Amino acid sequence: MLHKKLAPFPKDFLWGASTSAYQVEGAHLEDGKGPSCQDVKTVPAGTSELDVCADQYHRYKEDIALMAEMGFKTYRFSVSWSRLLPEGTGKVNPKGIEYYNNLIDECLKYGIEPLVTMFHFDMPAALDKRGSWGNRESVDWFVNFAKLLFENFGDRVKYWLTINEQNILTLAGPVIGTLMIPEGCTNVLKEIYQQNHHMMVAQAKAMELCHQMLPHAKIGPAPNISLVYPASCKPEDTMAAQNFNAIRNWLYLDMAVYGRYNNLVWSYLKENDALPEFMPGDEESMKNAHPDFIGFNYYNTSTVKANHEDEYKRSSSEDQQSAGKVAGLYDSFRNPNLTVTEFGWEIDPLGFRNTIREIYSRYHLPMIVTENGLGAYDTLTEDGKVHDPYRIEYLRQHITAMRLAVSDGCDMMGYCPWSAIDLISTHEGMRKRYGFIYVDRDEFDLKTLDRYRKDSFFWYKKVIATNGEDLSD
């Protein structure tokens, strides 16, 4: 669709950026914090531990001041479950409550709306030992954690996100160190989707609780949505794309918005004796969730071709952006029409617009982008500069695509690229940098941890100041 005149971004558009607790805070066992699954996992070879990260725990005032200098309207961050509840349940850590109170107040001091993610890949290690999301009690664990968040921070936090990238937890859990498969499990697919079901119920109950406790707040899911293309115009490739769209994308939003399982996924699970078990009240809870908006992460699209294998087998994806394959359903296909980043992720700004259009046509809820960005090898010059024109170009193309989607009639409420500041990439360490703010450290040498404004810092400041009108260098 061509537009002779583009619609502007809404006047109250929430420009900002994102981080997550376990990747940015550091202080991993400080001031009473308990270990999370991320603190006790074996990190990929050649990457740093998560004990210091960007040290935002000690430098949050400096970081928030820099975000305010850029003009942020919102800051999307996550709360470390085990910083508040060292054992995941039970005794509350007052130092954890104090830290997030201070972080929230610091944001509000500058007029920055906190956008709080409740769970971002960091189950308390104590709950991991009790089965993590495979334990039905995880629903209650999460709801009690949500209640603690709402009680302590709900007077100041208007926007909440439930579970970051639940679909990636399900499809690529081992890659990010989160999936717990019990020893001796004979039906891994059923176990994975039972855990997924527990997350869905937990999310729904948290949404319902939020509306009860905080009637003026808004809450939504935050999956990673990546529109899937067919590899050709063959009908069987189109069907493969439908299959993977359902498994990767629509299962999670159909459940969050409508409270029901996607029919294609349900059929796939039934075929493989992997249907999740419902407990009394699950169906009712999922129907009562009613998100106020949809948060979603977008990095690239996927492309698949038909898979004609007879025996049902599931191949795990090689990273959280790869499709992998499922026999009889789909098989990954490298799109020859797209370029890739230094780390091999396809770049598809038009796919961003396509994805926004598809989400809105299916669910008709306001949307906020909760992650979108370019990981790259950034270099700090001797005079304290970081020249990252590749990041500026990536973001310019995606913001342009988002504005075109707004002109298409899609209701966008905000944009929070990944990431506000350099942090530890989940499986590629510190060398893969995303931030507008450079952190002076290497993979293993902490150096000064000082902050430096990248060229993209000044560019994004101008974008925000003009409400997305000026995207020039």
Side-chain angles (χ1 to χ4, degrees):
M1 182 183 297
L2 298 177
H3 296 285
K4 295 180 180 178
K5 184 178 180 181
L6 296 182
F9 287 107
K11 291 182 179 179
D12 57 352
F13 194 75
L14 294 171
W15 297 98
S18 297
T19 64
S20 81
Y22 81 91
Q23 294 172 275
V24 75
E25 285 180 0
H28 74 311
L29 296 178
E30 193 169 323
D31 287 341
K33 179 184 177 294
S36 77
C37 64
Q38 298 293 343
D39 297 316
V40 300
K41 75 178 184 182
T42 300
V43 300
T47 64
S48 66
E49 299 288 345
L50 296 160
D51 52 345
V52 176
C53 298
D55 197 33
Q56 188 170 88
Y57 186 79
H58 298 111
R59 297 168 182 252
Y60 69 91
K61 288 188 177 181
E62 179 184 2
D63 290 347
I64 299 303
L66 286 165
M67 295 176 202
E69 184 182 333
M70 266 191 283
F72 276 25
K73 309 302 181 185
T74 189
Y75 172 37
R76 183 236 178 174
F77 60 90
S78 73
V79 173
S80 166
W81 188 337
S82 60
R83 195 177 293 284
L84 296 192
L85 294 163
E87 297 296 317
T89 61
K91 187 177 180 180
V92 177
N93 176 24
K95 285 287 188 178
I97 298 291
E98 179 184 359
Y99 171 70
Y100 289 110
N101 272 327
N102 290 340
L103 179 62
I104 290 166
D105 289 344
E106 197 70 16
C107 288
L108 294 175
K109 183 174 83 173
Y110 292 102
I112 298 172
E113 287 283 357
L115 174 59
V116 177
T117 306
M118 299 162 67
F119 180 78
H120 194 127
F121 299 167
D122 56 354
M123 178 68 79
L127 299 185
D128 250 9
K129 293 178 181 178
R130 296 168 63 181
S132 190
W133 291 108
N135 187 333
R136 172 66 198 197
E137 293 181 18
S138 61
V139 175
D140 294 330
W141 300 338
F142 185 74
V143 173
N144 290 332
F145 173 51
K147 184 172 183 289
L148 182 68
L149 295 177
F150 299 153
E151 287 174 340
N152 284 276
F153 313 125
D155 59 327
R156 285 154 295 152
V157 176
K158 298 178 183 177
Y159 299 100
W160 298 89
L161 297 162
T162 52
I163 298 175
N164 179 73
E165 293 190 347
Q166 183 182 332
N167 52 339
I168 305 304
L169 285 166
T170 300
L171 294 171
V175 175
I176 52 180
T178 55
L179 193 64
M180 297 282 293
I181 302 297
E183 187 175 347
C185 177
T186 58
N187 189 335
V188 173
L189 188 67
K190 183 176 178 65
E191 174 64 27
I192 288 172
Y193 279 90
Q194 188 64 52
Q195 293 188 26
N196 180 65
H197 178 77
H198 293 159
M199 281 187 270
M200 286 178 168
V201 177
Q203 171 177 262
K205 286 178 175 286
M207 287 182 183
E208 189 175 11
L209 182 65
C210 181
H211 291 137
Q212 292 170 358
M213 294 181 63
L214 307 173
H216 300 297
K218 297 183 184 298
I219 190 168
N224 181 311
I225 302 299
S226 170
L227 194 65
V228 182
Y229 301 141
S232 76
C233 57
K234 295 178 182 177
E236 54 265 41
D237 286 347
T238 296
M239 185 171 292
Q242 289 179 333
N243 292 337
F244 192 46
N245 266 312
I247 288 171
R248 193 199 191 284
N249 299 319
W250 312 138
L251 165 64
Y252 302 91
L253 290 178
D254 284 359
M255 183 57 72
V257 177
Y258 301 129
R260 63 172 183 257
Y261 271 85
N262 178 277
N263 61 289
L264 296 180
V265 179
W266 190 260
S267 176
Y268 160 59
L269 297 178
K270 185 177 181 180
E271 180 78 19
N272 290 277
D273 190 29
L275 290 176
E277 296 177 8
F278 279 58
M279 294 292 287
D282 283 3
E283 188 172 359
E284 182 181 5
S285 293
M286 292 186 292
K287 290 285 187 184
N288 291 336
H290 305 308
D292 301 290
F293 63 90
I294 291 172
F296 73 100
N297 302 346
Y298 174 89
Y299 290 94
N300 53 24
T301 46
S302 296
T303 305
V304 296
K305 60 183 179 180
N307 184 304
H308 298 295
E309 297 176 32
D310 293 330
E311 184 179 355
Y312 276 83
K313 292 181 181 178
R314 182 176 184 270
S315 170
S316 295
S317 57
E318 60 198 30
D319 64 43
Q320 70 253 47
Q321 301 302 321
S322 174
K325 69 176 181 178
V326 175
L329 293 182
Y330 61 83
D331 202 344
S332 292
F333 183 85
R334 173 64 80 178
N335 193 326
N337 302 296
L338 303 176
T339 59
V340 299
T341 71
E342 291 179 310
F343 290 86
W345 290 13
E346 294 175 347
I347 300 174
D348 188 3
L350 181 56
F352 188 35
R353 180 185 181 187
N354 292 338
T355 299
I356 293 170
R357 285 159 54 118
E358 188 66 20
I359 295 173
Y360 194 66
S361 71
R362 293 178 67 96
Y363 304 106
H364 297 283
L365 284 174
M367 293 169 287
I368 183 167
V369 179
T370 41
E371 290 182 28
N372 171 238
L374 177 74
Y377 297 104
D378 293 341
T379 302
L380 182 67
T381 64
E382 290 184 3
D383 59 350
K385 308 292 185 184
V386 178
H387 303 302
D388 56 344
Y390 38 84
R391 180 168 294 109
I392 291 172
E393 184 58 27
Y394 177 97
L395 294 172
R396 176 172 29 237
Q397 291 182 19
H398 284 76
I399 293 171
T400 298
M402 180 171 56
R403 187 171 179 187
L404 287 165
V406 171
S407 301
D408 292 333
C410 300
D411 186 356
M412 297 300 302
M413 57 182 275
Y415 179 68
C416 294
W418 187 265
S419 56
I421 183 170
D422 286 345
L423 38 68
I424 303 292
S425 173
T426 299
H427 55 283
E428 285 158 319
M430 195 68 197
R431 66 183 181 275
K432 187 179 186 181
R433 295 176 181 266
Y434 280 93
F436 295 107
I437 300 164
Y438 184 93
V439 178
D440 183 30
R441 63 157 292 180
D442 288 335
E443 205 66 61
F444 300 106
D445 183 357
L446 294 180
K447 295 187 175 181
T448 67
L449 289 169
D450 287 346
R451 275 55 170 152
Y452 293 87
R453 299 164 181 82
K454 301 181 186 180
D455 288 354
S456 58
F457 176 104
F458 300 104
W459 177 82
Y460 194 47
K461 178 180 179 178
K462 181 177 62 176
V463 171
I464 295 173
T466 62
N467 197 31
E469 290 290 334
D470 188 352
L471 303 182
S472 63
D473 290 337

